[in-house]
Amino acid sequence: MNLIKSSLIILGSISLISLSACSNNQPTANTENNSATSNAKAQPSAASVAKTEGQHGKTHGGQVVETGAYHLEFVPEKEANTTHMDLYLQTGDNHEAIPNAKVTAQVQLPDGTQKTVPFTYDAQDKHYTGLLKEKLTGQYQVKINADIKGKKVDGRFNFNR
């Protein structure tokens, strides 16, 4: 009986060592509590990948989503009584600004309530801006909806306040 128990313990130990040797030791990306995903209705199977400045063009310090033919970068800036939200909506290949889109944000506040924030285009800085007046502490979930000449492009982001 002791021989069977010893054999099982040794076999189990060898199995664990083998499994740990086969594990994936590649590091994962740190998103610093900010994440970004996308859902493009024009290309529902398009995979989104968070990009850094070295991988694909210059960023503005925000969360980046590449979806289909578009590049979305969301930059929230916390102010005393509001959150200023910038969205850089650009073509994916050469990162030219798209000035004629209709952009809104569906924001879920930390308490679960929903707010719709319209964005306007700032021609001088070539990006869209919106203002969120709520100042609750916690995580905000943001879904950006852009209508570019009838083509729907969505991006999901979040930020903490």
Side-chain angles (χ1 to χ4, degrees):
M1 190 67 152
N2 285 338
L3 181 61
I4 294 173
K5 286 182 182 179
S6 297
S7 298
L8 286 175
I9 291 172
I10 291 172
L11 184 61
S13 298
I14 292 172
S15 298
L16 286 174
I17 291 171
S18 298
L19 286 174
S20 66
C22 295
S23 70
N24 183 1
N25 291 327
Q26 294 179 352
T28 57
N30 181 4
T31 59
E32 300 175 10
N33 292 331
N34 290 329
S35 66
T37 60
S38 75
N39 176 19
K41 292 182 182 176
Q43 295 182 355
S45 63
S48 66
V49 178
K51 302 284 184 179
T52 63
E53 185 172 334
Q55 292 174 316
H56 194 244
K58 182 181 180 230
T59 67
H60 299 277
Q63 301 167 46
V64 176
V65 170
E66 297 281 347
T67 178
Y70 301 101
H71 170 95
L72 291 84
E73 183 172 356
F74 178 72
V75 184
E77 294 181 24
K78 297 165 214 141
E79 298 173 353
N81 294 321
T82 60
T83 301
H84 178 89
M85 298 182 291
D86 290 332
L87 178 73
Y88 294 86
L89 179 60
Q90 303 167 336
T91 58
D93 53 353
N94 59 4
H95 287 220
E96 281 189 32
I98 301 171
N100 52 355
K102 180 180 180 188
V103 178
T104 58
Q106 299 293 326
V107 181
Q108 181 177 339
L109 305 178
D111 66 1
T113 58
Q114 300 279 334
K115 295 287 179 183
T116 301
V117 178
F119 277 64
T120 57
Y121 187 70
D122 180 349
Q124 181 179 357
D125 293 329
K126 297 184 179 182
H127 69 279
Y128 292 86
T129 62
L131 226 81
L132 182 65
K133 296 179 183 178
E134 282 67 27
K135 50 187 174 183
L136 296 172
T137 301
Q139 188 175 60
Y140 290 74
Q141 300 291 327
V142 181
K143 179 182 176 190
I144 298 290
N145 303 305
D147 185 336
I148 306 167
K149 297 180 182 176
K151 193 178 251 185
K152 306 287 186 194
V153 178
D154 300 329
R156 294 181 185 270
F157 306 92
N158 67 40
F159 65 94
N160 291 321
R161 179 167 171 86

